[in-house]
Amino acid sequence: MGFWTKPVFLAGVVGIGVPVAAAALVASLTIRPDEPSPVATPRTTTTAPAPASTAPSSAIMANPVGFQPESIYFSTAEEGWVTGRNLPCPGTACVAVQHTSDGGRIWQQVDNPVALLGGQDADRTILYSDGPNRWVATDQHLFATHDDGATWHDATPPDLGPKHWSVSAGDNTIRALDVLDGQVRLRTTPVDDESWTQTNIPADTGTGPVATGNLQVQGNRAWVMVYNRGATGARLTDGVWKDWKLPCGGNGPADWHASSPNRMILLCGRPGPYGDDASGLRLLTSSDGGADFTETAQLSPTIPHSSVLIPDDSAHIVVGVEDQLLVSGDGGDTWTTAYTAPEPGWDVRSGRFISAADGFAVLTRGSGTPATQLLATHDAGRTWAPVAFG
């Protein structure tokens, strides 16, 4: 079974969702000009419970043998792929792809697209698939095909900043954001060619460690955060990019997600070179497009070394805090510990829901011999179990 044998359609990707052409990005995204300035107003309502005293019965494999998942992509609620590596292996030949056509219950290894083979780039990610157009991202390059995968080519935007950039896809548009020489730059192109258009976003990048930018777009709103340079960001307001004071102090959020033009949630409490404005890991929510935030929950009394958001809808939210998965079914007011890794040294790396009930989370083990594991839930995050690959 070939990797690209069945045309599929994008059904929604976290952080994106605006149908714009590359040359009309700013003109088509508008925000009400009378919105107030972003001010964080904390109000803690609940604290996440302590970890369960017993570990789940499904143990993670101690030794990294077999398929090690790294990133997951679903084009519909049924059709999905996971990229990763088969271990042990001698080198880059271990790159592998697993495919499912039933929402992730059964997986089978399939052929790699050319863009996933060779080279030394890490974190190969399937970014987009729709008919003849497919895109794959690595940590330094973008690859594209426009002929059903018959030929692939390097489609990286010109003069892309080295490594510290983010890329997303949705609604027939590819977007790449980087920070280079103090300038935040957004490049966009339609999915069916590489006619890149650049927009310079005015944001105070400051000085310090290498800056990393992150973009999210929803409906008629867009937001940019610049990490590792203090509390800097930008928000598209009435068709014009304007400075946006980040609500989590100098380090910015550990993770953030815009689920609609109005609703935004983020995790405050990220380790880094700049001080935070409070202690611990907190969940903040906004119902006005990021103008104002309310602290909804205290998830940890200290700042964890890793934390990620895995949102489902406005009511169901899953948060990965180091080796645990916390779940809320009421928008963040109350929380339970749904999963704790049965071995030390594991962290939740990423995750996503593909339907109201079905979702996935990638765990990584950095200590000792690195390894990864994919967990699945089919009850909106209340229970999780390791995924078996074919």
Side-chain angles (χ1 to χ4, degrees), residues 8-168:
V8 292
F9 297 90
L10 191 70
V13 178
V14 171
I16 57 179
V18 52
V20 297
L25 176 66
V26 173
S28 62
L29 296 173
T30 59
I31 297 178
R32 298 187 307 273
D34 58 344
E35 290 179 346
S37 300
V39 177
T41 54
R43 185 191 65 202
T44 302
T45 61
T46 187
T47 300
S53 58
T54 58
S57 58
S58 298
I60 296 176
M61 186 181 301
N63 297 318
V65 176
F67 181 72
Q68 304 295 299
E70 293 177 352
S71 69
I72 187 167
Y73 168 80
F74 270 80
S75 57
T76 70
E78 293 78 29
E79 207 80 19
W81 295 267
V82 172
T83 62
R85 287 173 168 77
N86 287 325
L87 297 181
C89 77
T92 56
C94 66
V95 174
V97 176
Q98 295 271 344
H99 171 259
T100 182
S101 58
D102 62 0
R105 288 166 173 79
I106 298 176
W107 295 87
Q108 291 183 324
Q109 186 164 313
V110 296
D111 296 337
N112 284 321
V114 175
L116 289 180
L117 299 176
Q120 299 302 315
D121 285 3
D123 297 326
R124 296 167 173 86
T125 302
I126 300 165
L127 186 68
Y128 184 86
S129 176
D130 183 357
N133 303 299
R134 297 91 190 252
W135 290 74
V136 168
T138 72
D139 61 356
Q140 299 184 58
H141 295 279
L142 275 172
F143 297 93
T145 176
H146 306 299
D147 54 11
D148 295 312
T151 60
W152 287 83
H153 58 274
D154 192 327
T156 309
D159 191 32
L160 192 68
K163 292 190 178 182
H164 296 275
W165 57 291
S166 62
V167 62
S168 58

Side-chain angles (χ1 to χ4, degrees), residues 18 20-25 127-128 135 142 144 146 155-158 167-176 186-198:
V18 52
V20 297
L25 176 66
L127 186 68
Y128 184 86
W135 290 74
L142 275 172
H146 306 299
T156 309
V167 62
S168 58
D171 299 306
N172 300 315
T173 302
I174 304 294
R175 303 179 180 92
L186 173 63
R187 262 73 71 83
T188 58
T189 184
V191 298
D192 56 1
D193 63 25
E194 290 90 60
S195 56
W196 293 102
T197 299
Q198 179 171 320

Side-chain angles (χ1 to χ4, degrees), residues 279-300:
S279 61
L281 181 68
R282 297 99 58 209
L283 183 79
L284 269 63
T285 62
S286 173
S287 59
D288 56 10
D292 297 281
F293 285 89
T294 298
E295 186 173 312
T296 307
Q298 176 94 15
L299 299 177
S300 172

